[in-house]
Amino acid sequence: MMGVERWIEEVIQQAGWLGPVFFILLHIVRPFFFLPVVVVCIAGGYLFGFVQGTIYSMIGLSLMGAVFYKIVNWFPSVRERVLKLKRKVAGERKMTVGQVMILRIMPFVHFHLLSVYLMDMTKSYREYMQYSILGVFAPAVLYTAFGKAIEEMPWYVSIIFLALLIFLYALLEHRNKKRHPESKESY
């Protein structure tokens, strides 16, 4: 896997003005290379710096969300496979937009699975894209800016960070249940 990552890095560095275009396209094809979002965003910070890396990651992740939405709606078999994965992983559990946003920050939570939740919550492509773009802001900024720090954190600091994110997720779950006590599932 490291060979692919280094090859991609070399191509982007040698591409000159096309480097950002290749990097944005990398975000779109990233799932086919089985590269985690965090790895690509960290590479963006390394290759382009914090500001440009964040902007390119936000563009790439937003375009990836748009392409995913179109593919899922154009190909019913893909939609059914993704919905099957959703049912397998989370059952019929519903989440709030805030919970999806928090899960998007967690490094190894499947981005496309969370996109399915956003698709279920929204009424139109436009509304989906608004939430999707909002949802990529935090991961793009955090992974690009703090990617090296997160990667080099001691294991106990990483566990504390993960515990904090889980706590925030649970807090939103609890708050949502208090607002809607008649519903067994949160939404």
Side-chain angles (χ1 to χ4, degrees), residues 93-97 99 117-123 172-173 176-177 180 183-187:
R93 179 177 184 74
K94 295 186 186 261
M95 287 190 271
T96 64
V97 173
Q99 289 171 314
Y117 275 102
L118 286 179
M119 290 171 71
D120 289 346
M121 291 178 211
T122 56
K123 297 176 180 87
L172 284 173
E173 175 85 7
N176 188 48
K177 284 184 179 181
H180 306 286
S183 172
K184 290 185 179 180
E185 298 288 333
S186 65
Y187 185 68

Side-chain angles (χ1 to χ4, degrees), residues 106-124:
M106 293 185 185
F108 300 106
V109 176
H110 199 284
F111 246 61
H112 291 313
L113 183 61
L114 296 174
S115 293
V116 171
Y117 275 102
L118 286 179
M119 290 171 71
D120 289 346
M121 291 178 211
T122 56
K123 297 176 180 87
S124 66

Side-chain angles (χ1 to χ4, degrees), residues 39 55 60 63 91 104 109 145 168:
V39 170
I55 291 168
L63 289 174
R104 282 226 164 141
V109 176
L168 287 172

